[in-house]
Amino acid sequence: MGESRRLRPHRFRRRLTAAFLLVAAVSSGALAVLTYAVTSEYRQRSFESMSHDEVQIALALAPTELDDQSFERMQSAYEKRSGTDTVAFLGGRTYTSARTLTRADVPDEVVSGPADELATARTRREGHDYLVVGGDGPDGARYVFFFAMDQLEDSLEELRTVLVVGWVLVVALAAAVGHLIARRTLRPVRDAAEAATAIAGGLLDTRLPSVGEDEFRAWADSFNDMADALGAKIDELRRAAARQRQFTADVAHDLRTPLTGMAVSAELLQKQMDDLPEPSRRAATVLVRDVQRLRELVLDLLELSRLDAAADPVRPETLDVAAAIETTLDSVPLPPGVGVTVSVEDGLAVHAERGRFRRIVANIVGNSAVHGGARISVDAVRDGDAVAIRIHDDGPGIAPDRAERVFDRFYKSDASRAQGGSGLGLAIAREHARAMGGDVELDGGPGRGATFTVRLPAAAPDREGEAPAVVTHL
């Protein structure tokens, strides 16, 4: 499950912050653009209106008879007021206040504008923008005034800068506020995720703080109620499992003593089997076999109960895998005709308890000998930090839907029920392996035989370049 499926804790927070930032950026940007548009339009209209007022005053003060001297006096007086360049047209003559200002610089719509009305146009001259306003003077002359728009453009540029800087500051502030709001808003969600993780890890007393009067408090209360119910149910299951383990241990322990006596009696009876009449001999044979099976079952139940209770601490040591397997196979009774081939990398060792190791290998090999084919192979190789011991038989294999159930306690397939056994051997093998930090897995479909893989912690690295040891048991 792991980490690949876990939600990234900051992804939704980033999305919420980004959404808040986007709304703030768009809204503040739209407001800035609208502010600039309205302000720019207002200032341009104000500038044009002021220019028209200036022209009206200038036309009212224009000389009644226009000549060079009167134009110069008018321009001198007007320059003191506004510093505006002027061009006048009368009788085919052109009067100008600047040498660089000519008839070609005046827009035609201003020169030929309607009488008794002011004509307005915009033009660019010598790298500067001008508002050009023209009107008729008292002597019929046409006066044209050039109002520089540099100051207006500078003020609009300053306004744009202020609005851009303000927008950037608003966006930055929105990012900080959005992050803070997202963090505070999602804190209950984070707390719930951490609480759920803690409960999943076994800390069943973990609870969420119930504060506030909003929906998150109702959520926290519901979560805590669920945790209380879950804790109560788990406690109940634990008590039931403990009672079941205790019952199994008590029954197995109480049966152990009488079964030991029965087993001794069965052995004596078996030695005298040839002296019994035929009908009694058959009954005695069944009795001896069932007593042995019952004794094995009780011993397996005792072993499982001790494993469940972790009554026996693991005492690992460094075991030579080849020697440990050889010793184990020497003690495993094999049916006639069943052979075991062993292949172990030289120098391979595991960190395990000797008795548990033998129990694992003996149970799996014994199971393969009874339910598998006539050939069993045991090979061990280094697998990272572990040693993989594979036990393969050439039997009919196991269906995929039953592959994991073979490790269930008392599980037997239909074909195995008539072959004896308690159905606990593989479960005991897996429990021992897990107690030592390893595991037992099964692979092999129908017709391919069954392969049990035992993984145990490696005690030392194998020595490269050496051939594996191969031994055959018949």
Side-chain angles (χ1 to χ4, degrees):
M1 194 176 185
E3 302 297 332
S4 60
R5 290 194 55 191
R6 292 190 183 278
L7 295 177
R8 296 182 181 176
H10 303 299
R11 179 177 294 177
F12 184 71
R13 184 189 304 173
R14 288 197 296 267
R15 291 204 300 265
L16 187 59
T17 303
F20 189 89
L21 178 62
L22 180 62
V23 171
V26 171
S27 58
S28 61
L31 180 62
V33 171
L34 180 62
T35 300
Y36 177 79
V38 172
T39 304
S40 175
E41 181 67 22
Y42 172 75
R43 289 188 179 183
Q44 291 184 31
R45 287 201 307 268
S46 298
F47 183 80
E48 187 173 337
S49 176
M50 182 186 66
S51 300
H52 284 190
D53 293 340
E54 292 289 338
V55 170
Q56 294 285 3
I57 295 174
L59 292 178
L61 298 176
T64 55
E65 293 183 3
L66 181 63
D67 55 22
D68 292 336
Q69 295 179 352
S70 61
F71 179 80
E72 186 175 345
R73 287 195 303 270
M74 183 196 75
Q75 181 61 26
S76 298
Y78 194 65
E79 283 181 351
K80 294 179 181 179
R81 177 180 177 86
S82 63
T84 302
D85 291 330
T86 307
V87 179
F89 303 99
L90 178 65
R93 286 197 60 186
T94 301
Y95 303 88
T96 177
S97 62
R99 294 180 179 179
T100 59
L101 186 62
T102 63
R103 167 67 179 79
D105 296 321
V106 181
D108 294 336
E109 60 267 28
V110 176
V111 176
S112 59
D116 300 330
E117 291 186 11
L118 298 180
T120 303
R122 293 191 182 189
T123 186
R124 186 170 183 81
R125 173 174 164 264
E126 297 180 350
H128 298 277
D129 292 328
Y130 290 88
L131 178 67
V132 184
V133 181
D136 294 331
D139 60 346
R142 187 70 173 178
Y143 292 87
V144 178
F145 302 88
F146 286 77
F147 295 92
M149 301 181 68
D150 293 342
Q151 186 176 2
L152 174 62
E153 292 177 351
D154 291 342
S155 66
L156 292 179
E157 179 65 26
E158 182 179 355
L159 176 62
R160 285 195 297 269
T161 302
V162 170
L163 290 176
V164 170
V165 172
W167 178 79
V168 172
L169 293 177
V170 168
V171 170
L173 180 62
V177 173
H179 178 75
L180 179 62
I181 293 177
R183 185 173 182 177
R184 292 177 62 87
T185 302
L186 296 178
R187 180 177 298 172
V189 179
R190 182 195 62 193
D191 293 342
E194 293 176 352
T197 302
I199 290 177
L203 302 177
L204 300 180
D205 58 344
T206 304
R207 297 295 183 271
L208 290 177
S210 181
V211 295
E213 298 294 336
D214 53 9
E215 292 81 1
F216 284 117
R217 177 172 181 174
W219 180 24
D221 292 340
S222 299
F223 182 92
N224 293 337
D225 292 341
M226 179 198 68
D228 291 338
L230 179 62
K233 180 62 67 176
I234 291 178
D235 289 339
E236 181 181 348
L237 292 174
R238 284 176 176 173
R239 289 192 295 270
R243 288 195 301 268
Q244 182 181 9
R245 287 195 300 268
Q246 188 62 42
F247 173 77
T248 303
D250 292 343
V251 170
H253 185 272
D254 291 341
L255 288 176
R256 185 176 184 178
T257 300
L259 277 174
T260 301
M262 293 173 62
V264 173
S265 300
E267 290 179 1
L268 294 175
L269 182 61
Q270 188 174 17
K271 293 178 181 179
Q272 300 175 3
M273 195 74 69
D274 295 337
D275 299 334
L276 297 177
E278 183 62 27
S280 300
R281 187 183 306 167
R282 288 197 299 269
T285 302
V286 174
L287 178 61
V288 170
R289 185 185 64 219
D290 288 344
V291 167
Q292 291 175 345
R293 290 179 58 185
L294 184 58
R295 183 172 180 272
E296 292 175 359
L297 175 60
V298 170
L299 292 177
D300 287 345
L301 287 174
L302 277 173
E303 187 173 359
L304 273 176
S305 65
R306 296 184 67 83
L307 284 170
D308 291 338
D312 299 323
V314 179
R315 298 180 177 87
E317 58 181 300
T318 300
L319 299 179
D320 181 85
V321 176
I325 291 177
E326 288 296 313
T327 303
T328 301
L329 293 180
D330 289 339
S331 62
V332 177
L334 298 176
V338 176
V340 181
T341 300
V342 181
S343 175
V344 180
E345 292 183 8
D346 188 69
L348 204 60
V350 293
H351 196 61
E353 184 176 328
R354 187 177 302 274
R356 294 178 187 263
F357 181 90
R358 291 179 178 177
R359 186 68 161 143
I360 294 170
V361 176
N363 281 12
I364 298 177
V365 172
N367 180 83
S368 298
V370 174
H371 305 293
R375 293 188 300 274
I376 300 174
S377 63
V378 180
D379 65 89
V381 295
R382 185 68 179 265
D383 186 10
D385 294 333
V387 171
I389 304 172
R390 291 189 290 265
I391 302 172
H392 176 76
D393 62 65
D394 60 350
I398 300 174
D401 58 337
R402 298 183 179 180
E404 189 62 26
R405 294 193 60 193
V406 298
F407 296 103
D408 293 344
R409 299 176 183 185
F410 298 105
Y411 175 78
K412 291 183 180 182
S413 63
D414 296 337
S416 302
R417 295 188 180 276
Q419 298 179 359
S422 63
L424 297 174
L426 295 179
I428 291 174
R430 171 173 274 188
E431 292 297 331
H432 278 303
R434 289 180 173 177
M436 294 187 294
D439 204 353
V440 180
E441 301 172 350
L442 170 63
D443 181 28
R448 297 189 291 113
T451 301
F452 291 89
T453 302
V454 181
R455 284 187 171 83
L456 295 174
D462 55 339
R463 298 194 295 270
E464 298 180 0
E466 299 187 6
V470 180
V471 180
T472 302
H473 284 256
L474 295 176

